[in-house]
Amino acid sequence: MVARVRSAPPSGLPGRAEPTQGADVTRERLLQATHELLFARAGAEPSVSEICARAGVNVSMVSYCFGGKQALLAALIRRTTAGVVEELEALAALDLPAEEKLRRHLAGVVRNYLRYPYVNQLGERLGHGAGQPAAARTTAVLAEPMVAFYATLLRDDAFRDVDPVYLFCSITGMCEFLFAARGSVEATLGGPVDDAAVARFVDHTVALVLHGIKNPDRSPA
Amino acid sequence: MVARVRSAPPSGLPGRAEPTQGADVTRERLLQATHELLFARAGAEPSVSEICARAGVNVSMVSYCFGGKQALLAALIRRTTAGVVEELEALAALDLPAEEKLRRHLAGVVRNYLRYPYVNQLGERLGHGAGQPAAARTTAVLAEPMVAFYATLLRDDAFRDVDPVYLFCSITGMCEFLFAARGSVEATLGGPVDDAAVARFVDHTVALVLHGIKNPDRSPA
């Protein structure tokens, strides 16, 4: 994957073959335009008219295709998070040591926030706006499977006793921040978050977490 | 400090005695109202009329007191972050082991995001909207002094070789997420993020970071 400076266009959305029919084409364009605007604006929410202008469609199309802006945003969250749960299940099923599963998982989480740095903030705001059921839904998509994955891993005696919900908060937060606050981080680093910086950050994150939760009573590997 | 569920009013802003003069009273009311709305809405930006309605002042007062909404938001960021740098300098000057300084610092960072969970997202959006100078300004307020603090601490041979900029990203992200995504986390925890949950999260965070950056070649303390 190629890392990008903020001004360059982000990647396309995952998970759909190029649609050929009218309304599906418009839906895809609207989702992609919303993704690009959220990426470019550090998560600040674009207006319906901005989304439609970027997608090159009439402003009535958000309502026609999704029923409204909130439903469009919710569909974007589902699209960007759908693959995460599948990847987690595939990783859990592999016959690998627990440390190696966690290592691969962390690299995936970092690279997911590289692509979708806005998704947690957006999900939280939507969940708040819609009340508890939507918050529970966002949670069901990512938090619950991740916490379950950690709970299983943490049974391995390679690790010390750690709360899986708090570990979920730590890992999500530490993998997200570099990208959610990319403008500030790039100013602090004195340069762009490029491929090399992302690769070093993956190594840093893996080392921090694996040392951080290692069972000190087990002899070093 | 008393932890709050999201529906309860957040704490007052730090750093100013109760003003007595007209324009100063209005400024304080506007800052406090903006803080409360950002806290209650998971960081979603309130409108000028919502801020003024909550503050109980005329809608022209944002322009009169601050020159505009962006300047009001920038003043709120300065207010909520001003004390952080002073606390950091006071902590750096104490005659304490490096681990103990880091332990106290982490507890402070967690409790800062408990009070101001919206501040990083807001700073990033403002910095983006205003272009590089504002991003650099936000960075100057928090990132640069924190990175310098870590760089000094990391010279202690209690710690392994860690990049202080990446450590800043990890610590800020892991301390922020629980509160920035409070709605989702409370749904996952199955209960409110109350005093006891915050205290356990502080212990969890301190242990994760101290184990995570400990020098493995130094004999255990």
Side-chain angles (χ1 to χ4, degrees):
Chain A
M1 177 186 306
V2 178
R4 291 155 212 90
V5 294
R6 184 176 289 280
S7 53
S11 64
L13 291 169
R16 291 271 286 208
E18 197 61 40
T20 53
Q21 302 223 336
D24 281 352
V25 172
T26 306
R27 276 181 68 93
E28 282 303 300
R29 281 193 189 159
L30 287 167
L31 287 168
Q32 179 68 28
T34 308
H35 161 65
E36 290 173 7
L37 288 168
L38 284 164
F39 187 96
R41 295 176 179 190
E45 227 171 274
S47 69
V48 166
S49 58
E50 289 168 332
I51 292 167
C52 292
R54 186 170 188 109
V57 304
N58 186 281
V59 289
S60 65
M61 285 296 115
V62 167
S63 179
Y64 177 76
C65 291
F66 293 94
K69 184 178 165 189
Q70 299 308 300
L72 161 62
L73 295 173
L76 179 62
I77 291 178
R78 281 194 300 277
R79 179 69 72 82
T80 58
T81 53
V84 174
V85 178
E86 285 165 28
E87 283 170 26
L88 209 53
E89 286 167 356
L91 183 57
L94 291 178
D95 183 24
L96 288 171
E99 291 105 321
E100 181 57 25
K101 284 187 185 180
L102 190 54
R103 191 185 307 272
R104 294 187 186 190
H105 167 69
L106 288 166
V109 177
V110 168
R111 291 181 184 281
N112 198 47
Y113 288 116
L114 168 67
R115 283 178 288 179
Y116 311 116
Y118 56 80
V119 70
N120 286 334
Q121 296 175 27
L122 180 61
E124 187 70 10
R125 289 199 304 264
L126 271 188
H128 173 75
Q132 191 58 21
R137 201 164 61 233
T138 304
T139 304
V141 171
L142 276 188
E144 286 181 10
M146 285 177 73
V147 169
F149 179 74
Y150 299 146
T152 303
L153 280 188
L154 287 165
R155 281 188 213 119
D156 194 291
D157 82 342
F159 305 123
R160 61 184 179 81
D161 189 22
V162 175
D163 184 312
V165 174
Y166 287 161
L167 185 62
F168 161 73
C169 292
S170 305
I171 287 177
T172 304
M174 78 171 79
C175 293
E176 171 194 56
F177 181 79
L178 174 61
F179 307 109
R182 189 164 180 157
S184 299
V185 172
E186 289 182 335
T188 309
L189 278 172
V193 175
D194 58 12
D195 278 1
V198 171
R200 285 199 309 273
F201 185 67
V202 167
D203 290 345
H204 161 86
T205 304
V206 166
L208 184 63
V209 174
L210 285 180
H211 282 102
I213 68 173
K214 192 166 64 177
N215 182 352
D217 299 331
R218 217 176 71 154
S219 54
Chain B
M1 177 187 306
V2 178
R4 289 157 212 88
V5 294
R6 185 177 288 283
S7 54
S11 64
L13 292 170
R16 292 272 286 207
E18 197 61 41
T20 53
Q21 302 223 336
D24 281 351
V25 172
T26 306
R27 276 182 70 93
E28 282 303 300
R29 280 192 190 161
L30 286 168
L31 287 169
Q32 179 68 29
T34 308
H35 162 66
E36 290 172 6
L37 288 168
L38 284 165
F39 186 97
R41 294 174 180 191
E45 227 171 274
S47 69
V48 167
S49 58
E50 288 168 333
I51 293 167
C52 292
R54 186 169 188 109
V57 304
N58 187 282
V59 289
S60 64
M61 285 296 114
V62 168
S63 178
Y64 178 77
C65 292
F66 293 94
K69 184 178 165 189
Q70 299 308 300
L72 161 61
L73 295 173
L76 178 62
I77 291 179
R78 282 196 299 277
R79 179 68 72 82
T80 58
T81 53
V84 174
V85 178
E86 285 166 27
E87 283 170 26
L88 209 53
E89 286 167 355
L91 183 57
L94 290 179
D95 183 23
L96 287 172
E99 290 104 321
E100 181 56 26
K101 284 187 186 180
L102 191 54
R103 191 186 306 272
R104 293 187 187 191
H105 166 69
L106 288 166
V109 177
V110 168
R111 290 181 185 282
N112 199 47
Y113 288 116
L114 168 67
R115 282 178 288 178
Y116 311 115
Y118 56 80
V119 71
N120 286 334
Q121 295 175 29
L122 181 60
E124 187 69 11
R125 288 199 305 264
L126 271 188
H128 174 75
Q132 191 58 21
R137 203 164 59 233
T138 304
T139 304
V141 171
L142 276 188
E144 285 180 11
M146 284 177 74
V147 169
F149 179 75
Y150 299 146
T152 303
L153 279 188
L154 288 166
R155 281 188 213 120
D156 195 291
D157 82 342
F159 304 123
R160 62 184 179 82
D161 188 22
V162 175
D163 184 312
V165 175
Y166 287 161
L167 185 63
F168 161 73
C169 292
S170 306
I171 287 177
T172 303
M174 79 172 77
C175 293
E176 172 195 54
F177 181 80
L178 175 61
F179 308 109
R182 189 164 181 158
S184 298
V185 173
E186 289 181 335
T188 309
L189 278 172
V193 175
D194 57 13
D195 277 1
V198 171
R200 286 198 310 273
F201 185 66
V202 167
D203 291 344
H204 162 85
T205 303
V206 167
L208 184 63
V209 174
L210 285 180
H211 283 101
I213 67 174
K214 193 165 63 177
N215 183 352
D217 299 330
R218 216 176 74 153
S219 56

